[in-house]
Amino acid sequence: MLVTKHAAELCALLVNDLFGELPSVGSSSTHFGFCGVVLVAGLTFLRFSQQRLLVALFTKGRCTLSQLVQHVSLGPRHLRNGLGVLIQQNLLYHYTDPDTGGTSYEANSDACYNLVRSGKILEVINSQYGTAERDLVQTLMQLGYARVADLTHAFTSRAPKTNGHTNGSHESSSGLIESKNHLNSALSRLIQAEILETVRPDSFRNPAEVYREIEADVTKTAPGEKASKNKIEQHMQIVERFKTFRDQSKALKRQLDQTSGPSTKRRRLQNGSRHSDPFDDDIELNPNVVVRVNHEKCLVELRNQRLADFAADMLGETTGHVYRSLLDLLTAKVSRCRADPLVGEENKGPQPSVTTLQIYENLSDEVKVLGGIGKAPKDKIDFDSAEKIRSGPYSYDSDSDEEDEPEVKAAPVPRGRLARAAAAAAAAAAASAKESEDEGSEDDIDVQGGHTHTNGDRSTKVKFEDGAIAKDSRLDQMRQHLLLLAESKHRFVRHCGTQGRGQWTVDFELLMDRLRESELDAYIEQSFGRHGLRLTRILREKGKLDEKMLPSAALMKKGDVQGKMLAMQMAGLVDVQEVPKDNSRLANRTLFFWFFDGERVQSQLLDDVYKGMLRCLQTLDVERHKERNILTFVERKDVKGKEEEVMTAEHYNKYNRHLEGQQKLLGQVMRLDDMVAVFRDY
């Protein structure tokens, strides 16, 4: 993460805001042994000094304890307490030099920023894994990291007991962890899914520093020895050693995969109850193993959710559920959204794919796949085009023209069953338009089961082939959603094979480029209107363009183009290059070429988003300070849950207004975080 001024202030404020709320849960943390004691002991100090400490580390970079004493103007004892709490929360990198014995500290900007996503991560864990796993991840987020033995003691001690025995019925009704076997099962499942990772001493080192250390060790030469000329072999050796270092946290995952089998299928939840796990009584984890949350894998889960929501917005909720099931299978072995910048692209083998049968087995029975599919007569559907198989990725610029794309002929498909093509929606629209023309050229139609509906003052009637899809099997209906995803202009999936009733894959880089482009277009249109969006699209397509050609290309007046381009130049969206025809450099002897730099715009937009999030949180702090008396009163144990009864009408209304304002500010922060994730992390 490139730390700008606003990003550094935002990270420090996020940590300060989180630890300001943690004392309310300090009582539950005391069950976790020494970790909880250190956390609670440092909270009072950290609440007032952590912002200065983190800002100093962001500003000065790596520092020793003596340097921090000078920068922060605090005593060594206070600094050690604050550093201990920050290290416990994985917010700092630290390394002790074995030669000198000195310890240096460095801020972990990614971990600090990830605090804003805690709620989103818990929500997706709850929906994908269950209540018990969400409870476990939430506890580890509060503690930073913890031993398995401490977790076992904490979760088993809170279980209600009757006559000295644990009440077994409570577990099935709440879904929370209240037994050792249940905890081991949840831990094993999350470790195998890479949501949790094991912690070792090297886990607190900066990966970039480890990479530089490995690089220096591989490239060093003895006195008088010449440097090796085989740079490629040296680079491969450095990459392999760094991968070995990075994958040490997955040793327990590999061990569990060998003993329990790979955990690739999502557990289906029904009515909130947990299905029995055959390994509940067999798994026994080492009590001294230390675990923490792996935010890289959590980002993969968040990306899946974002893409599924994107597909649901474009094609319907049912299609979004089918797409989420496909993404879960494709990313089961994906550890991170983007390639590690230190080692580059790692997956150089064949692109993973899943079959229709695998998606069908993974899809929840509660998803009604019959909905969200348009109806069209069979003679209106181009089956060859719908079943077309593409062995290579889509061309990024192709929307409808696909003549140059590699093509593999699909096996013959029976028309009556499999081929409710992805073009069914488009064919339905075409059929609707034709019917409307025949009936009198109506503008808008409302179609449902071939009946006549009234839209405004006009009645329309569209006839479709009712009952055709109802006879198909659930598998064939689900396959129609996959074809819809493949034929979408956003290229959600690619039909890449015929095995297992069809193979499917996702070109994540191209898909995310589409999503980033749509987000950027929405930002430009909101800021500079549709004319500004039109001009930037022209520059993206043409590259550098002479200002004399812009009015004709955009179909706008010259004065309007100049005014809009100057406004966007002041905002940093576009820039101009001056090319003089001669040494006189007169304006009438100079060519002015406008251009749009997408990477620079995204970088500037990210900094603006950081600034917006920072202002929202600062405003929230000011509002909390204004209403500090009411908020302190509401936090009392004898008031919680009975605010309306205890408080006067004036104070209760003021408290509600504060909660509404707080909800709006936090909602805006979450929306801005979605933009950060799209432009930076996904």
Side-chain angles (χ1 to χ4, degrees):
M1 174 180 174
L2 179 61
V3 182
T4 62
K5 174 180 178 294
H6 296 120
E9 293 180 4
L10 174 63
C11 291
L13 190 58
L14 284 171
V15 175
N16 185 39
D17 185 68
L18 176 70
F19 280 87
E21 300 294 330
L22 271 179
S24 61
V25 297
S27 58
S28 62
S29 304
T30 57
H31 293 292
F32 293 86
F34 177 72
C35 295
V37 173
V38 172
L39 180 62
V40 176
L43 285 175
T44 303
F45 160 75
L46 189 60
R47 187 172 183 179
F48 297 103
S49 63
Q50 62 185 344
Q51 202 161 359
R52 278 194 296 167
L53 181 57
L54 279 173
V55 168
L57 288 172
F58 279 124
T59 305
K60 304 298 182 181
R62 185 184 305 170
C63 297
T64 62
L65 186 64
S66 58
Q67 291 172 332
L68 284 174
V69 170
Q70 298 176 359
H71 297 323
V72 187
S73 301
L74 292 171
R77 183 175 65 86
H78 290 157
L79 272 180
R80 288 191 182 97
N81 290 337
L83 290 172
V85 179
L86 291 175
I87 291 172
Q88 172 68 31
Q89 294 295 318
N90 307 298
L91 302 177
L92 293 184
Y93 294 123
H94 67 93
Y95 175 63
T96 302
D97 193 337
D99 298 329
T100 62
T103 303
S104 58
Y105 303 92
E106 186 177 357
N108 185 353
S109 57
D110 290 327
C112 293
Y113 181 83
N114 283 333
L115 294 174
V116 78
R117 296 177 177 152
S118 300
K120 294 180 180 179
I121 293 174
L122 292 176
E123 183 179 354
V124 75
I125 294 297
N126 185 59
S127 63
Q128 293 301 113
Y129 296 91
T131 306
E133 285 77 3
R134 177 197 56 78
D135 190 25
L136 178 57
V137 171
Q138 183 177 9
T139 301
L140 286 173
M141 282 183 173
Q142 293 175 357
L143 298 177
Y145 60 86
R147 292 191 310 144
V148 173
D150 295 331
L151 291 170
T152 303
H153 174 70
F155 283 112
T156 55
S157 63
R158 75 179 184 183
K161 297 179 183 291
T162 304
N163 297 328
H165 300 283
T166 303
N167 185 2
S169 63
H170 185 77
E171 177 184 340
S172 59
S173 61
S174 65
L176 299 178
I177 299 174
E178 289 160 358
S179 68
K180 183 178 179 181
N181 290 337
H182 194 178
L183 174 65
N184 287 337
S185 174
L187 276 171
S188 301
R189 186 160 185 255
L190 291 175
I191 290 173
Q192 286 185 273
E194 299 184 46
I195 299 297
L196 300 183
E197 63 179 359
T198 56
V199 180
R200 60 195 191 282
D202 286 342
S203 300
F204 297 96
R205 296 192 62 187
N206 191 338
E209 179 185 355
V210 175
Y211 184 86
R212 289 192 296 267
E213 184 178 304
I214 295 174
E215 185 179 26
D217 184 59
V218 170
T219 57
K220 71 178 180 180
T221 57
E225 183 181 357
K226 293 184 178 180
S228 175
K229 295 183 179 180
N230 195 345
K231 302 297 182 182
I232 298 179
E233 182 179 350
Q234 283 186 345
H235 178 71
M236 295 299 297
Q237 186 178 356
I238 294 170
V239 169
E240 289 301 321
R241 287 182 58 179
F242 181 75
K243 286 182 181 179
T244 302
F245 158 79
R246 194 186 60 188
D247 294 340
Q248 288 178 6
S249 60
K250 300 180 182 179
L252 182 56
K253 167 185 162 51
R254 292 190 290 267
Q255 179 183 347
L256 291 173
D257 287 343
Q258 293 175 358
T259 57
S260 304
S263 176
T264 57
K265 291 186 178 181
R266 177 174 60 88
R267 178 187 301 156
R268 297 183 180 182
L269 300 177
Q270 294 179 354
N271 301 324
S273 62
R274 187 179 66 91
H275 284 255
S276 59
D277 193 333
F279 304 109
D280 276 357
D281 299 329
D282 299 336
I283 297 176
E284 188 68 29
L285 298 177
N286 184 352
N288 293 321
V289 170
V290 182
V291 293
R292 68 179 180 185
V293 178
N294 179 15
H295 285 277
E296 288 288 349
K297 183 63 176 182
C298 291
L299 279 177
V300 176
E301 296 286 348
L302 291 177
R303 183 182 67 177
N304 289 349
Q305 186 64 43
R306 179 63 189 274
L307 290 177
D309 293 340
F310 187 34
D313 292 339
M314 296 294 106
L315 300 173
E317 185 177 354
T318 305
T319 308
H321 287 304
V322 175
Y323 192 43
R324 180 58 197 263
S325 181
L326 182 150
L327 291 173
D328 290 340
L329 292 173
L330 275 180
T331 59
K333 297 182 180 180
V334 176
S335 301
R336 54 195 308 137
C337 292
R338 295 193 175 188
D340 193 331
L342 296 175
V343 299
E345 187 63 35
E346 301 178 46
N347 301 323
K348 296 184 179 180
Q351 190 169 356
S353 62
V354 293
T355 65
T356 305
L357 294 176
Q358 291 173 332
I359 300 171
Y360 177 75
E361 293 174 358
N362 189 60
L363 185 65
S364 173
D365 295 334
E366 298 179 357
V367 179
K368 306 300 182 182
V369 294
L370 181 59
I373 304 175
K375 302 178 184 179
K378 295 179 181 178
D379 57 352
K380 300 293 183 181
I381 301 175
D382 185 354
F383 296 99
D384 294 334
S385 176
E387 296 290 342
K388 184 177 180 180
I389 295 175
R390 297 168 177 85
S391 59
Y394 291 101
S395 174
Y396 176 74
D397 295 328
S398 66
D399 286 331
S400 58
D401 187 10
E402 299 165 359
E403 297 299 329
D404 298 333
E405 295 179 2
E407 176 183 355
V408 178
K409 270 291 184 182
V413 181
R415 291 195 176 189
R417 289 182 57 82
L418 296 183
R420 292 299 178 272
S432 303
K434 188 175 185 303
E435 289 288 344
S436 62
E437 290 176 2
D438 296 339
E439 290 295 325
S441 303
E442 291 86 354
D443 294 331
D444 297 316
I445 59 175
D446 184 12
V447 180
Q448 183 177 359
H451 297 287
T452 303
H453 295 275
T454 301
N455 185 8
D457 296 331
R458 299 180 179 182
S459 62
T460 61
K461 182 171 62 176
V462 179
K463 298 178 181 179
F464 280 132
E465 194 174 323
D466 291 338
I469 296 181
K471 298 177 181 178
D472 294 339
S473 67
R474 176 179 170 84
L475 177 61
D476 297 331
Q477 294 164 4
M478 185 204 72
R479 194 172 185 274
Q480 295 174 36
H481 291 280
L482 295 174
L483 290 169
L484 283 172
L485 290 165
E487 289 297 321
S488 170
K489 66 177 183 178
H490 296 288
R491 310 304 188 194
F492 289 108
V493 301
R494 176 163 53 88
H495 194 192
C496 61
T498 59
Q499 299 178 3
R501 304 288 292 273
Q503 293 172 272
W504 315 87
T505 188
V506 176
D507 302 316
F508 283 105
E509 292 185 4
L510 296 179
L511 179 57
M512 292 312 303
D513 284 341
R514 291 269 180 150
L515 185 56
R516 277 188 284 271
E517 183 178 302
S518 64
E519 288 282 351
L520 188 58
D521 287 348
Y523 164 74
I524 295 174
E525 184 176 10
Q526 185 176 8
S527 302
F528 299 96
R530 58 187 181 89
H531 293 111
L533 177 61
R534 184 191 305 173
L535 290 169
T536 54
R537 281 181 171 176
I538 291 173
L539 292 178
R540 260 185 288 180
E541 180 183 355
K542 303 295 184 181
K544 293 183 179 179
L545 197 62
D546 187 1
E547 68 170 357
K548 297 179 181 178
M549 300 177 63
L550 268 177
S552 59
L555 302 179
M556 295 172 58
K557 296 180 180 179
K558 181 179 179 181
D560 296 340
V561 169
Q562 290 178 343
K564 189 66 68 175
M565 295 301 291
L566 288 175
M568 290 193 292
Q569 184 187 22
M570 294 294 293
L573 285 179
V574 297
D575 208 344
V576 63
Q577 180 182 6
E578 301 180 8
V579 181
K581 294 181 180 179
D582 51 36
N583 293 333
S584 63
R585 306 186 70 86
L586 298 175
N588 58 357
R589 300 290 300 168
T590 303
L591 299 176
F592 296 92
F593 292 97
W594 290 97
F595 64 93
F596 178 86
D597 189 345
E599 293 184 1
R600 189 187 68 177
V601 171
Q602 290 185 19
S603 177
Q604 179 178 335
L605 177 59
L606 272 177
D607 191 51
D608 292 340
V609 171
Y610 293 145
K611 184 178 180 180
M613 297 175 69
L614 177 64
R615 295 296 180 262
C616 287
L617 293 178
Q618 289 175 338
T619 303
L620 182 58
D621 280 348
V622 172
E623 295 298 324
R624 286 173 177 171
H625 182 73
K626 290 180 180 178
E627 308 296 340
R628 59 188 180 278
N629 295 329
I630 295 178
L631 296 178
T632 304
F633 178 76
V634 171
E635 288 297 321
R636 287 171 43 177
K637 293 182 179 180
D638 58 335
V639 177
K640 279 187 177 181
K642 301 181 296 184
E643 293 86 353
E644 189 174 2
E645 301 174 5
V646 177
M647 300 173 67
T648 62
E650 179 184 357
H651 291 88
Y652 183 71
N653 292 334
K654 187 178 294 187
Y655 175 63
N656 281 336
R657 286 194 298 269
H658 172 76
L659 293 181
E660 290 175 2
Q662 175 179 276
Q663 185 177 5
K664 292 179 181 178
L665 288 171
L666 293 179
Q668 181 67 14
V669 170
M670 294 299 102
R671 285 191 289 269
L672 292 174
D673 174 61
D674 288 339
M675 294 185 64
V676 173
V678 168
F679 287 111
R680 191 194 72 181
D681 299 324
Y682 296 163

